[in-house]
Short mmCIF file of all heavy atoms in Angstrom, two decimals:
data_model
loop_
_atom_site.label_atom_id
_atom_site.label_comp_id
_atom_site.label_asym_id
_atom_site.label_seq_id
_atom_site.Cartn_x
_atom_site.Cartn_y
_atom_site.Cartn_z
N MET P 1184 -12.48 65.63 110.59
CA MET P 1184 -11.73 65.80 109.35
C MET P 1184 -12.51 66.60 108.33
O MET P 1184 -12.00 67.46 107.67
CB MET P 1184 -11.39 64.44 108.76
CG MET P 1184 -9.97 64.05 109.07
SD MET P 1184 -9.85 62.27 109.07
CE MET P 1184 -10.05 61.95 110.79
N ARG P 1185 -13.77 66.28 108.25
CA ARG P 1185 -14.58 67.10 107.39
C ARG P 1185 -14.68 68.47 108.05
O ARG P 1185 -14.69 68.59 109.26
CB ARG P 1185 -15.97 66.49 107.28
CG ARG P 1185 -16.82 67.18 106.27
CD ARG P 1185 -18.20 66.57 106.25
NE ARG P 1185 -19.05 67.36 105.39
CZ ARG P 1185 -19.68 68.42 105.82
NH1 ARG P 1185 -19.56 68.81 107.06
NH2 ARG P 1185 -20.46 69.10 105.01
N LEU P 1196 -19.96 78.27 106.63
CA LEU P 1196 -19.79 79.48 107.40
C LEU P 1196 -20.01 80.74 106.63
O LEU P 1196 -20.44 81.74 107.17
CB LEU P 1196 -18.40 79.49 107.99
CG LEU P 1196 -18.04 78.09 108.48
CD1 LEU P 1196 -16.62 78.06 108.99
CD2 LEU P 1196 -18.96 77.65 109.56
N VAL P 1199 -24.33 82.16 102.07
CA VAL P 1199 -25.00 81.17 101.28
C VAL P 1199 -24.13 80.95 100.06
O VAL P 1199 -23.31 81.76 99.73
CB VAL P 1199 -26.35 81.77 100.88
CG1 VAL P 1199 -27.19 80.76 100.19
CG2 VAL P 1199 -27.04 82.30 102.10
N GLN P 1235 -27.27 69.11 101.27
CA GLN P 1235 -27.94 68.97 102.57
C GLN P 1235 -29.44 69.27 102.50
O GLN P 1235 -30.16 69.02 103.44
CB GLN P 1235 -27.32 69.93 103.58
CG GLN P 1235 -25.91 69.52 103.98
CD GLN P 1235 -25.36 70.43 105.05
OE1 GLN P 1235 -26.09 71.04 105.80
NE2 GLN P 1235 -24.05 70.51 105.11
N PRO P 1237 -33.13 69.54 99.79
CA PRO P 1237 -33.66 69.10 98.50
C PRO P 1237 -33.10 70.02 97.40
O PRO P 1237 -32.84 71.19 97.66
CB PRO P 1237 -35.16 69.30 98.65
CG PRO P 1237 -35.43 69.37 100.11
CD PRO P 1237 -34.19 69.90 100.75
N THR P 1244 -29.05 76.35 100.48
CA THR P 1244 -28.31 77.43 101.13
C THR P 1244 -26.84 77.10 101.28
O THR P 1244 -26.10 77.85 101.86
CB THR P 1244 -28.86 77.66 102.55
OG1 THR P 1244 -28.86 76.41 103.23
CG2 THR P 1244 -30.24 78.23 102.51
N SER P 1316 -44.28 81.92 103.29
CA SER P 1316 -43.55 81.37 104.43
C SER P 1316 -43.95 79.95 104.86
O SER P 1316 -43.08 79.21 105.31
CB SER P 1316 -43.57 82.34 105.60
OG SER P 1316 -44.89 82.64 105.99
N ASN P 1318 -44.16 77.47 103.19
CA ASN P 1318 -43.34 76.53 102.44
C ASN P 1318 -41.96 76.34 103.07
O ASN P 1318 -41.23 75.43 102.70
CB ASN P 1318 -43.19 76.97 100.99
CG ASN P 1318 -44.50 76.83 100.23
OD1 ASN P 1318 -45.28 75.93 100.53
ND2 ASN P 1318 -44.73 77.70 99.27
N GLY P 1319 -41.60 77.23 103.97
CA GLY P 1319 -40.36 77.06 104.73
C GLY P 1319 -39.09 77.10 103.90
O GLY P 1319 -38.13 76.41 104.19
N PRO P 1321 -35.63 78.43 102.97
CA PRO P 1321 -34.63 79.30 103.62
C PRO P 1321 -34.27 80.52 102.78
O PRO P 1321 -33.83 81.53 103.31
CB PRO P 1321 -33.41 78.38 103.78
CG PRO P 1321 -33.91 77.00 103.64
CD PRO P 1321 -35.14 77.06 102.80
N ASP P 1339 -41.92 85.50 113.05
CA ASP P 1339 -42.09 85.34 114.48
C ASP P 1339 -42.16 86.73 115.13
O ASP P 1339 -41.25 87.52 114.98
CB ASP P 1339 -40.86 84.56 114.99
CG ASP P 1339 -41.04 84.11 116.41
OD1 ASP P 1339 -41.97 84.61 117.07
OD2 ASP P 1339 -40.25 83.26 116.84
N GLY P 1342 -39.31 87.58 117.31
CA GLY P 1342 -38.03 87.37 116.65
C GLY P 1342 -37.15 86.27 117.22
O GLY P 1342 -36.08 86.03 116.73
N LYS P 1347 -44.86 80.95 117.13
CA LYS P 1347 -44.85 80.63 115.72
C LYS P 1347 -45.15 81.85 114.88
O LYS P 1347 -45.89 82.74 115.30
CB LYS P 1347 -45.90 79.56 115.44
CG LYS P 1347 -45.29 78.20 115.46
CD LYS P 1347 -46.09 77.26 114.64
CE LYS P 1347 -45.43 75.91 114.72
NZ LYS P 1347 -46.35 74.85 114.51
N ALA P 1348 -44.54 81.87 113.72
CA ALA P 1348 -44.84 82.97 112.81
C ALA P 1348 -46.29 82.84 112.37
O ALA P 1348 -46.77 81.75 112.15
CB ALA P 1348 -43.92 82.90 111.60
N LYS P 1403 -35.73 65.56 94.72
CA LYS P 1403 -34.82 64.44 94.51
C LYS P 1403 -34.47 64.28 93.04
O LYS P 1403 -33.50 63.63 92.69
CB LYS P 1403 -35.47 63.15 95.00
CG LYS P 1403 -35.52 63.06 96.51
CD LYS P 1403 -36.19 61.77 96.94
CE LYS P 1403 -36.86 61.95 98.28
NZ LYS P 1403 -37.84 60.94 98.56
N TRP P 1416 -29.07 60.84 91.17
CA TRP P 1416 -28.41 61.26 92.40
C TRP P 1416 -28.35 60.06 93.32
O TRP P 1416 -29.37 59.57 93.80
CB TRP P 1416 -29.20 62.41 93.05
CG TRP P 1416 -28.73 62.83 94.41
CD1 TRP P 1416 -27.57 62.44 95.05
CD2 TRP P 1416 -29.38 63.74 95.30
NE1 TRP P 1416 -27.48 63.06 96.27
CE2 TRP P 1416 -28.56 63.86 96.45
CE3 TRP P 1416 -30.55 64.48 95.23
CZ2 TRP P 1416 -28.91 64.67 97.53
CZ3 TRP P 1416 -30.89 65.29 96.30
CH2 TRP P 1416 -30.08 65.39 97.43
N ASP P 1418 -27.08 58.96 96.77
CA ASP P 1418 -26.67 59.65 98.00
C ASP P 1418 -25.26 59.29 98.42
O ASP P 1418 -24.88 58.13 98.43
CB ASP P 1418 -27.63 59.30 99.13
CG ASP P 1418 -28.95 60.01 98.97
OD1 ASP P 1418 -28.91 61.24 98.88
OD2 ASP P 1418 -30.00 59.35 98.92
N ASN P 1419 -24.49 60.30 98.79
CA ASN P 1419 -23.11 60.15 99.25
C ASN P 1419 -22.18 59.56 98.21
O ASN P 1419 -21.04 59.25 98.52
CB ASN P 1419 -23.02 59.28 100.51
CG ASN P 1419 -23.74 59.91 101.68
OD1 ASN P 1419 -23.69 61.13 101.84
ND2 ASN P 1419 -24.40 59.12 102.49
N VAL P 1420 -22.65 59.38 96.99
CA VAL P 1420 -21.78 58.79 95.96
C VAL P 1420 -21.58 59.77 94.79
O VAL P 1420 -20.48 60.24 94.57
CB VAL P 1420 -22.32 57.45 95.45
CG1 VAL P 1420 -21.44 56.90 94.35
CG2 VAL P 1420 -22.41 56.44 96.59
N LEU P 1445 -19.46 62.86 95.12
CA LEU P 1445 -19.70 63.41 96.45
C LEU P 1445 -18.70 62.84 97.45
O LEU P 1445 -18.79 61.68 97.84
CB LEU P 1445 -21.14 63.09 96.88
CG LEU P 1445 -22.19 63.51 95.84
CD1 LEU P 1445 -23.56 63.04 96.26
CD2 LEU P 1445 -22.19 65.01 95.65
N TYR P 1446 -17.74 63.65 97.80
CA TYR P 1446 -16.69 63.21 98.71
C TYR P 1446 -16.99 63.65 100.13
O TYR P 1446 -17.65 64.67 100.36
CB TYR P 1446 -15.34 63.81 98.30
CG TYR P 1446 -14.73 63.16 97.09
CD1 TYR P 1446 -14.98 63.67 95.81
CD2 TYR P 1446 -13.91 62.06 97.21
CE1 TYR P 1446 -14.42 63.08 94.70
CE2 TYR P 1446 -13.34 61.46 96.10
CZ TYR P 1446 -13.60 61.98 94.84
OH TYR P 1446 -13.05 61.39 93.75
N GLN P 1447 -16.44 62.90 101.07
CA GLN P 1447 -16.55 63.34 102.45
C GLN P 1447 -15.25 63.98 102.89
O GLN P 1447 -15.24 64.91 103.67
CB GLN P 1447 -16.85 62.13 103.32
CG GLN P 1447 -17.05 62.54 104.74
CD GLN P 1447 -18.13 61.71 105.36
OE1 GLN P 1447 -19.02 61.22 104.69
NE2 GLN P 1447 -18.07 61.53 106.65
N SER P 1450 -9.10 64.97 101.14
CA SER P 1450 -7.84 64.27 100.89
C SER P 1450 -8.07 63.11 99.91
O SER P 1450 -7.23 62.81 99.07
CB SER P 1450 -7.25 63.75 102.19
OG SER P 1450 -8.14 62.85 102.80
N ALA P 1451 -9.24 62.45 100.02
CA ALA P 1451 -9.57 61.36 99.10
C ALA P 1451 -9.71 61.90 97.69
O ALA P 1451 -9.21 61.33 96.72
CB ALA P 1451 -10.86 60.67 99.54
N ASP P 1455 -7.45 61.15 94.31
CA ASP P 1455 -8.06 60.79 93.03
C ASP P 1455 -7.63 61.73 91.92
O ASP P 1455 -7.40 61.32 90.79
CB ASP P 1455 -9.60 60.83 93.17
CG ASP P 1455 -10.18 59.47 93.51
OD1 ASP P 1455 -9.42 58.48 93.45
OD2 ASP P 1455 -11.37 59.40 93.85
N ALA P 1458 -4.20 60.89 90.85
CA ALA P 1458 -4.11 59.60 90.18
C ALA P 1458 -4.90 59.57 88.87
O ALA P 1458 -4.93 58.56 88.19
CB ALA P 1458 -4.60 58.50 91.11
N ASN P 1460 -8.24 59.95 88.58
CA ASN P 1460 -9.62 59.44 88.71
C ASN P 1460 -10.64 60.55 88.86
O ASN P 1460 -11.84 60.30 88.94
CB ASN P 1460 -9.74 58.54 89.94
CG ASN P 1460 -9.10 57.21 89.70
OD1 ASN P 1460 -9.05 56.73 88.57
ND2 ASN P 1460 -8.57 56.62 90.74
N VAL P 1614 -23.79 75.60 117.59
CA VAL P 1614 -23.80 76.24 118.90
C VAL P 1614 -23.30 77.68 118.76
O VAL P 1614 -23.84 78.62 119.35
CB VAL P 1614 -22.89 75.46 119.89
CG1 VAL P 1614 -22.89 76.12 121.25
CG2 VAL P 1614 -23.35 74.02 120.01
N GLN P 1617 -25.91 79.79 117.29
CA GLN P 1617 -26.99 80.01 118.25
C GLN P 1617 -26.60 81.13 119.22
O GLN P 1617 -27.42 81.98 119.57
CB GLN P 1617 -27.27 78.72 119.00
CG GLN P 1617 -28.70 78.63 119.47
CD GLN P 1617 -29.00 77.26 120.08
OE1 GLN P 1617 -28.14 76.39 120.13
NE2 GLN P 1617 -30.20 77.09 120.54
N ASP P 1620 -26.99 84.32 117.30
CA ASP P 1620 -28.40 84.65 117.08
C ASP P 1620 -29.07 85.16 118.36
O ASP P 1620 -29.93 86.02 118.31
CB ASP P 1620 -29.18 83.43 116.58
CG ASP P 1620 -28.85 83.12 115.12
OD1 ASP P 1620 -28.23 83.98 114.47
OD2 ASP P 1620 -29.21 82.03 114.65
N ARG P 1629 -15.19 85.21 115.32
CA ARG P 1629 -14.91 84.97 113.91
C ARG P 1629 -16.19 85.09 113.09
O ARG P 1629 -17.25 84.64 113.49
CB ARG P 1629 -14.39 83.55 113.76
CG ARG P 1629 -14.07 83.13 112.38
CD ARG P 1629 -14.19 81.63 112.24
NE ARG P 1629 -15.60 81.24 112.20
CZ ARG P 1629 -16.39 81.40 111.15
NH1 ARG P 1629 -15.92 81.96 110.06
NH2 ARG P 1629 -17.65 81.01 111.17
N ALA P 1631 -17.52 85.52 108.67
CA ALA P 1631 -17.10 85.56 107.28
C ALA P 1631 -18.30 86.01 106.46
O ALA P 1631 -19.43 85.84 106.89
CB ALA P 1631 -16.65 84.18 106.81
N ASP P 1635 -23.71 87.24 98.05
CA ASP P 1635 -24.68 86.42 97.34
C ASP P 1635 -24.71 86.82 95.87
O ASP P 1635 -24.95 86.02 94.99
CB ASP P 1635 -26.07 86.62 97.93
CG ASP P 1635 -26.10 86.29 99.41
OD1 ASP P 1635 -25.59 85.23 99.77
OD2 ASP P 1635 -26.61 87.10 100.20
N SER P 1652 -29.23 91.32 107.53
CA SER P 1652 -29.39 89.89 107.80
C SER P 1652 -28.17 89.27 108.46
O SER P 1652 -28.26 88.27 109.14
CB SER P 1652 -29.73 89.14 106.52
OG SER P 1652 -28.65 89.24 105.61
N SER P 1653 -26.98 89.84 108.26
CA SER P 1653 -25.81 89.28 108.92
C SER P 1653 -25.13 90.32 109.83
O SER P 1653 -23.97 90.18 110.20
CB SER P 1653 -24.81 88.76 107.89
OG SER P 1653 -23.87 87.92 108.50
N PRO K 44 -26.09 70.12 122.55
CA PRO K 44 -26.35 71.56 122.51
C PRO K 44 -26.28 72.10 121.08
O PRO K 44 -25.56 71.57 120.24
CB PRO K 44 -25.25 72.15 123.38
CG PRO K 44 -24.22 71.08 123.51
CD PRO K 44 -24.92 69.79 123.37
N GLY K 45 -27.02 73.16 120.85
CA GLY K 45 -27.03 73.75 119.53
C GLY K 45 -28.29 73.39 118.78
O GLY K 45 -28.58 72.23 118.59
N ASP K 46 -29.04 74.39 118.41
CA ASP K 46 -30.23 74.20 117.61
C ASP K 46 -29.81 73.57 116.28
O ASP K 46 -28.94 74.10 115.61
CB ASP K 46 -30.87 75.58 117.38
CG ASP K 46 -32.14 75.49 116.58
OD1 ASP K 46 -32.35 74.48 115.91
OD2 ASP K 46 -32.93 76.45 116.64
N ALA K 49 -29.80 76.06 113.52
CA ALA K 49 -29.18 77.39 113.69
C ALA K 49 -28.07 77.62 112.68
O ALA K 49 -27.84 78.73 112.24
CB ALA K 49 -28.65 77.54 115.11
N GLY K 50 -27.35 76.56 112.33
CA GLY K 50 -26.20 76.75 111.46
C GLY K 50 -26.50 76.46 110.00
O GLY K 50 -25.60 76.37 109.19
N LYS K 51 -27.78 76.32 109.65
CA LYS K 51 -28.13 75.88 108.30
C LYS K 51 -28.12 76.99 107.26
O LYS K 51 -28.23 76.71 106.08
CB LYS K 51 -29.51 75.22 108.31
CG LYS K 51 -29.52 73.88 109.02
CD LYS K 51 -28.98 72.80 108.12
CE LYS K 51 -28.93 71.50 108.88
NZ LYS K 51 -27.90 70.60 108.38
N GLY K 53 -25.76 79.51 106.96
CA GLY K 53 -24.49 80.23 106.90
C GLY K 53 -24.43 81.33 107.92
O GLY K 53 -24.95 81.19 109.03
N GLU K 54 -23.83 82.44 107.53
CA GLU K 54 -23.58 83.52 108.47
C GLU K 54 -24.78 84.44 108.63
O GLU K 54 -24.65 85.65 108.61
CB GLU K 54 -22.39 84.35 107.99
CG GLU K 54 -21.10 83.59 107.95
CD GLU K 54 -20.45 83.47 109.32
OE1 GLU K 54 -20.68 84.34 110.18
OE2 GLU K 54 -19.71 82.49 109.51
N ARG K 55 -25.95 83.87 108.69
CA ARG K 55 -27.10 84.71 108.98
C ARG K 55 -28.16 83.83 109.63
O ARG K 55 -28.15 82.62 109.49
CB ARG K 55 -27.63 85.37 107.71
CG ARG K 55 -28.27 84.41 106.74
CD ARG K 55 -28.84 85.16 105.56
NE ARG K 55 -28.00 85.00 104.39
CZ ARG K 55 -27.95 85.86 103.39
NH1 ARG K 55 -28.63 86.95 103.43
NH2 ARG K 55 -27.20 85.62 102.35
N ARG K 56 -29.08 84.48 110.31
CA ARG K 56 -30.15 83.76 110.97
C ARG K 56 -31.09 83.16 109.92
O ARG K 56 -31.38 83.79 108.92
CB ARG K 56 -30.91 84.77 111.82
CG ARG K 56 -32.01 84.19 112.64
CD ARG K 56 -32.96 85.30 113.01
NE ARG K 56 -32.37 86.20 114.02
CZ ARG K 56 -32.47 86.00 115.32
NH1 ARG K 56 -33.12 84.97 115.78
NH2 ARG K 56 -31.96 86.86 116.17
N PRO K 58 -34.58 82.06 108.25
CA PRO K 58 -35.92 82.63 108.37
C PRO K 58 -36.77 81.80 109.32
O PRO K 58 -36.63 80.58 109.37
CB PRO K 58 -36.49 82.55 106.95
CG PRO K 58 -35.34 82.27 106.07
CD PRO K 58 -34.27 81.64 106.89
N ASP K 59 -37.64 82.46 110.07
CA ASP K 59 -38.51 81.76 111.02
C ASP K 59 -39.32 80.69 110.31
O ASP K 59 -39.57 79.61 110.84
CB ASP K 59 -39.47 82.74 111.68
CG ASP K 59 -38.71 83.77 112.50
OD1 ASP K 59 -37.60 83.44 112.97
OD2 ASP K 59 -39.20 84.90 112.64
N ALA K 60 -39.74 81.02 109.08
CA ALA K 60 -40.59 80.10 108.32
C ALA K 60 -39.91 78.75 108.19
O ALA K 60 -40.52 77.70 108.38
CB ALA K 60 -40.87 80.68 106.94
N TYR K 61 -38.62 78.77 107.90
CA TYR K 61 -37.86 77.53 107.71
C TYR K 61 -37.76 76.76 109.02
O TYR K 61 -38.03 75.56 109.08
CB TYR K 61 -36.48 77.88 107.17
CG TYR K 61 -35.51 76.72 107.13
CD1 TYR K 61 -35.68 75.69 106.22
CD2 TYR K 61 -34.42 76.66 108.00
CE1 TYR K 61 -34.80 74.63 106.17
CE2 TYR K 61 -33.53 75.61 107.96
CZ TYR K 61 -33.72 74.59 107.05
OH TYR K 61 -32.85 73.55 107.01
N ASP K 63 -39.63 76.98 111.74
CA ASP K 63 -40.95 76.51 112.14
C ASP K 63 -41.31 75.21 111.42
O ASP K 63 -41.76 74.24 112.02
CB ASP K 63 -42.04 77.55 111.79
CG ASP K 63 -42.01 78.71 112.77
OD1 ASP K 63 -41.28 78.62 113.77
OD2 ASP K 63 -42.70 79.72 112.51
N LYS K 64 -41.06 75.21 110.10
CA LYS K 64 -41.46 74.06 109.31
C LYS K 64 -40.66 72.82 109.71
O LYS K 64 -41.23 71.74 109.86
CB LYS K 64 -41.25 74.38 107.83
CG LYS K 64 -41.93 73.36 106.95
CD LYS K 64 -41.63 73.59 105.50
CE LYS K 64 -42.03 72.37 104.70
NZ LYS K 64 -41.20 72.22 103.52
N GLU K 67 -41.62 71.43 113.15
CA GLU K 67 -42.87 70.69 113.10
C GLU K 67 -42.67 69.33 112.45
O GLU K 67 -43.16 68.31 112.94
CB GLU K 67 -43.89 71.51 112.31
CG GLU K 67 -45.31 71.10 112.61
CD GLU K 67 -46.26 71.93 111.79
OE1 GLU K 67 -46.18 73.17 111.86
OE2 GLU K 67 -47.07 71.34 111.06
N GLY K 96 -32.72 66.86 104.21
CA GLY K 96 -32.76 67.09 102.77
C GLY K 96 -33.86 66.31 102.07
O GLY K 96 -34.02 66.42 100.87
N GLY K 97 -34.62 65.51 102.82
CA GLY K 97 -35.75 64.81 102.23
C GLY K 97 -35.45 63.41 101.72
O GLY K 97 -36.30 62.78 101.13
N GLN K 98 -34.22 62.89 101.93
CA GLN K 98 -33.95 61.53 101.49
C GLN K 98 -34.45 60.54 102.54
O GLN K 98 -34.45 60.85 103.72
CB GLN K 98 -32.46 61.28 101.27
CG GLN K 98 -31.87 61.98 100.10
CD GLN K 98 -31.16 63.23 100.53
OE1 GLN K 98 -30.86 63.40 101.69
NE2 GLN K 98 -30.92 64.11 99.59
N LEU K 103 -30.82 55.16 102.55
CA LEU K 103 -29.41 55.51 102.77
C LEU K 103 -28.68 54.33 103.43
O LEU K 103 -27.58 53.96 103.02
CB LEU K 103 -29.29 56.71 103.70
CG LEU K 103 -29.48 58.11 103.16
CD1 LEU K 103 -29.18 59.14 104.25
CD2 LEU K 103 -28.57 58.34 101.98
N PHE K 162 -3.51 56.56 104.90
CA PHE K 162 -3.00 57.61 104.03
C PHE K 162 -1.72 57.17 103.33
O PHE K 162 -1.50 57.46 102.16
CB PHE K 162 -2.73 58.89 104.82
CG PHE K 162 -3.97 59.69 105.07
CD1 PHE K 162 -4.33 60.09 106.34
CD2 PHE K 162 -4.80 60.05 104.01
CE1 PHE K 162 -5.48 60.82 106.57
CE2 PHE K 162 -5.95 60.78 104.23
CZ PHE K 162 -6.29 61.16 105.51
N VAL K 170 -1.28 56.82 94.47
CA VAL K 170 -0.82 58.01 93.75
C VAL K 170 0.57 57.81 93.17
O VAL K 170 0.82 58.08 92.01
CB VAL K 170 -0.84 59.24 94.68
CG1 VAL K 170 -0.30 60.45 93.97
CG2 VAL K 170 -2.25 59.48 95.20
N ARG K 176 -6.57 52.05 92.59
CA ARG K 176 -7.27 53.33 92.58
C ARG K 176 -7.20 53.89 93.99
O ARG K 176 -7.42 53.15 94.94
CB ARG K 176 -8.74 53.12 92.21
CG ARG K 176 -9.01 53.03 90.73
CD ARG K 176 -10.49 52.73 90.55
NE ARG K 176 -11.27 53.68 91.33
CZ ARG K 176 -12.25 54.43 90.85
NH1 ARG K 176 -12.58 54.32 89.59
NH2 ARG K 176 -12.91 55.26 91.60
N PRO K 177 -6.92 55.17 94.15
CA PRO K 177 -6.81 55.71 95.51
C PRO K 177 -8.11 55.62 96.29
O PRO K 177 -8.09 55.55 97.51
CB PRO K 177 -6.43 57.17 95.30
CG PRO K 177 -6.00 57.29 93.89
CD PRO K 177 -6.62 56.18 93.13
N THR K 178 -9.24 55.63 95.60
CA THR K 178 -10.51 55.52 96.30
C THR K 178 -11.32 54.37 95.71
O THR K 178 -11.06 53.93 94.60
CB THR K 178 -11.35 56.80 96.17
OG1 THR K 178 -11.56 57.05 94.80
CG2 THR K 178 -10.66 57.99 96.82
N ALA K 181 -18.15 53.37 93.40
CA ALA K 181 -19.48 53.24 93.98
C ALA K 181 -19.89 51.78 94.14
O ALA K 181 -20.62 51.43 95.05
CB ALA K 181 -20.49 53.98 93.12
N GLY K 266 -13.68 56.83 105.36
CA GLY K 266 -13.44 58.22 104.97
C GLY K 266 -12.24 58.34 104.03
O GLY K 266 -12.33 58.98 103.00
N ILE K 267 -11.14 57.72 104.39
CA ILE K 267 -9.92 57.84 103.59
C ILE K 267 -10.13 57.29 102.19
O ILE K 267 -9.75 57.91 101.21
CB ILE K 267 -8.75 57.09 104.28
CG1 ILE K 267 -8.37 57.81 105.57
CG2 ILE K 267 -7.55 57.00 103.34
CD1 ILE K 267 -7.34 57.07 106.40
N GLN K 269 -12.99 56.69 100.69
CA GLN K 269 -14.23 57.10 100.03
C GLN K 269 -15.16 55.91 99.79
O GLN K 269 -15.64 55.67 98.70
CB GLN K 269 -13.87 57.81 98.71
CG GLN K 269 -14.99 58.25 97.82
CD GLN K 269 -15.73 59.44 98.39
OE1 GLN K 269 -15.36 59.98 99.41
NE2 GLN K 269 -16.80 59.83 97.77
N ASN K 271 -18.66 54.23 100.55
CA ASN K 271 -19.99 54.66 101.00
C ASN K 271 -20.54 53.65 102.00
O ASN K 271 -21.41 52.87 101.70
CB ASN K 271 -20.91 54.80 99.80
CG ASN K 271 -22.28 55.27 100.20
OD1 ASN K 271 -22.43 55.94 101.23
ND2 ASN K 271 -23.27 54.93 99.42
N ARG K 275 -19.35 56.12 107.56
CA ARG K 275 -19.30 57.42 106.93
C ARG K 275 -20.68 58.08 107.00
O ARG K 275 -20.80 59.28 107.23
CB ARG K 275 -18.90 57.24 105.46
CG ARG K 275 -18.09 58.37 104.91
CD ARG K 275 -17.51 57.96 103.58
NE ARG K 275 -18.54 57.78 102.58
CZ ARG K 275 -18.62 58.50 101.46
NH1 ARG K 275 -17.74 59.43 101.21
NH2 ARG K 275 -19.57 58.28 100.60
N TYR K 278 -21.13 59.32 110.53
CA TYR K 278 -20.27 60.48 110.79
C TYR K 278 -20.82 61.74 110.14
O TYR K 278 -20.91 62.80 110.75
CB TYR K 278 -18.86 60.18 110.27
CG TYR K 278 -17.90 61.31 110.48
CD1 TYR K 278 -17.45 61.62 111.77
CD2 TYR K 278 -17.43 62.07 109.42
CE1 TYR K 278 -16.58 62.66 111.98
CE2 TYR K 278 -16.56 63.11 109.63
CZ TYR K 278 -16.13 63.41 110.90
OH TYR K 278 -15.27 64.45 111.10
N ARG K 279 -21.23 61.60 108.90
CA ARG K 279 -21.80 62.73 108.18
C ARG K 279 -23.05 63.27 108.88
O ARG K 279 -23.24 64.46 109.03
CB ARG K 279 -22.19 62.28 106.78
CG ARG K 279 -21.77 63.20 105.68
CD ARG K 279 -22.54 62.87 104.41
NE ARG K 279 -23.77 63.62 104.39
CZ ARG K 279 -23.84 64.90 104.07
NH1 ARG K 279 -22.79 65.56 103.72
NH2 ARG K 279 -25.00 65.55 104.11
N VAL K 282 -22.05 65.21 111.96
CA VAL K 282 -21.50 66.52 111.63
C VAL K 282 -22.59 67.49 111.19
O VAL K 282 -22.60 68.65 111.57
CB VAL K 282 -20.42 66.39 110.53
CG1 VAL K 282 -20.00 67.74 110.02
CG2 VAL K 282 -19.22 65.65 111.09
N THR K 283 -23.54 67.01 110.38
CA THR K 283 -24.58 67.91 109.89
C THR K 283 -25.77 67.97 110.85
O THR K 283 -26.79 68.52 110.51
CB THR K 283 -25.07 67.50 108.49
OG1 THR K 283 -25.42 66.12 108.54
CG2 THR K 283 -23.99 67.68 107.46
N LYS K 284 -25.63 67.36 112.01
CA LYS K 284 -26.66 67.37 113.04
C LYS K 284 -27.98 66.78 112.57
O LYS K 284 -29.07 67.25 112.91
CB LYS K 284 -26.88 68.78 113.59
CG LYS K 284 -25.64 69.31 114.29
CD LYS K 284 -25.92 70.57 115.08
CE LYS K 284 -26.73 70.34 116.32
NZ LYS K 284 -26.02 69.74 117.43
#
Side-chain angles (χ1 to χ4, degrees):
Chain P
M1184 260 153 265
R1185 187 183 173 274
L1196 319 176
V1199 187
Q1235 290 184 24
T1244 53
S1316 58
N1318 289 329
D1339 191 346
K1347 265 205 181 154
K1403 287 180 208 162
W1416 173 10
D1418 285 305
N1419 296 323
V1420 178
L1445 308 174
Y1446 284 92
Q1447 183 143 333
S1450 60
D1455 266 350
N1460 286 330
V1614 180
Q1617 208 174 359
D1620 286 348
R1629 179 207 75 75
D1635 302 312
S1652 64
S1653 195
Chain K
D46 182 340
K51 290 281 177 207
E54 296 280 334
R55 69 176 105 205
R56 183 200 288 271
D59 297 332
Y61 171 70
D63 284 352
K64 193 185 166 210
E67 201 181 306
Q98 290 99 16
L103 279 186
F162 280 127
V170 177
R176 277 177 51 127
T178 58
I267 292 174
Q269 176 72 5
N271 181 26
R275 213 168 67 119
Y278 179 71
R279 226 196 89 78
V282 171
T283 52
K284 296 192 71 76

